[in-house]
Amino acid sequence: MQIDQQVALITGGGSGLGAATARAMAARGARVAILDFDAGKGAQLAAETGGFSIKCDVANAAEVEAAVAQSIAHFGDAPRIVVNCAGIASAARIVGREGKLALELFERVIRVNLIGSYNVMSYAARAMMGLAPLASGERGVIINTASAAFEDGQVGQSAYAASKGAIAAMCLPAAREFAKPGIRVMAIAPGLFSTPMMEALPPETTAQIAANIPFPARLGRPEEFGLMACQIVENAYLNGTTIRLDGAVRLPPR
């Protein structure tokens, strides 16, 4: 699918991987709807990319339904491209100090990362089904964000790894379900990227983390994630799989 003039809906589009994806799509001519829990950051990216900003908590199905409707009303078209980047990376041991359990954190991570992605995929796919197919038969592309942690999660990442593993696991059945209307479903599993979360760490910690990456021996750049999202959209034969984007890193236990 050519990106030019298509509506692209990006969640978590106000910062990090989402912002880089919004910029990459806009640079290729997409009309970008930026959904973000932080209205200020979303509005800033929308102003930069000529897009449309919508405040949205992806874990709230009613807000997602309303956001998709707002995007359609603004652009006059349903999105043909959806990239789910919204997520949190809260970490805690399953059984912490003094026997404290991390049940509340686990539930929150699952709600934002997994249920949030599912909400957006559901409402976006329903809207895509009403679009006329392109010459190729394609109606749309949905890209969810997993993580390298879904295969080699570290200590304290049980909730995060579970949420991202589920995103990877639902990629194929979702792609099979949406094959008839011509909607592709893919997932990207990024490794260690230079996002606001990583940038908040001390330089020596970042250097130690990057030392585990074989090649290129550095943190991933958000624009490389955005590029991968664009390449998935443009390559019509990519469907139903998860692509690791990680410089060949395999995360150690800690």
Side-chain angles (χ1 to χ4, degrees), residues 49-77:
T49 59
F52 179 58
S53 173
I54 305 168
K55 184 182 186 303
C56 181
D57 175 2
V58 295
N60 185 314
E63 287 194 24
V64 172
E65 183 178 21
V68 172
Q70 282 181 261
S71 175
I72 293 170
H74 179 80
F75 291 113
D77 284 310

Side-chain angles (χ1 to χ4, degrees), residues 33-120:
I34 297 169
L35 276 59
D36 204 287
F37 187 75
D38 188 324
K41 288 182 178 178
Q44 185 177 349
L45 256 293
E48 177 187 329
T49 59
F52 179 58
S53 173
I54 305 168
K55 184 182 186 303
C56 181
D57 175 2
V58 295
N60 185 314
E63 287 194 24
V64 172
E65 183 178 21
V68 172
Q70 282 181 261
S71 175
I72 293 170
H74 179 80
F75 291 113
D77 284 310
R80 286 197 189 268
I81 302 165
V82 171
V83 187
N84 272 311
C85 293
I88 56 175
S90 304
R93 289 175 180 263
I94 298 169
V95 181
R97 292 181 180 179
E98 301 175 357
K100 183 179 179 181
L101 304 183
L103 298 175
E104 185 177 338
L105 179 142
F106 187 91
E107 182 178 5
R108 180 168 176 262
V109 171
I110 294 295
R111 282 203 61 79
V112 175
N113 293 359
L114 175 58
I115 296 176
S117 296
Y118 185 87
N119 283 339
V120 175

Side-chain angles (χ1 to χ4, degrees), residues 216-232:
R218 57 168 173 80
L219 297 178
R221 297 173 182 138
E223 56 266 30
E224 291 169 325
F225 181 95
L227 175 61
M228 175 58 72
C230 291
Q231 290 169 331
I232 288 172

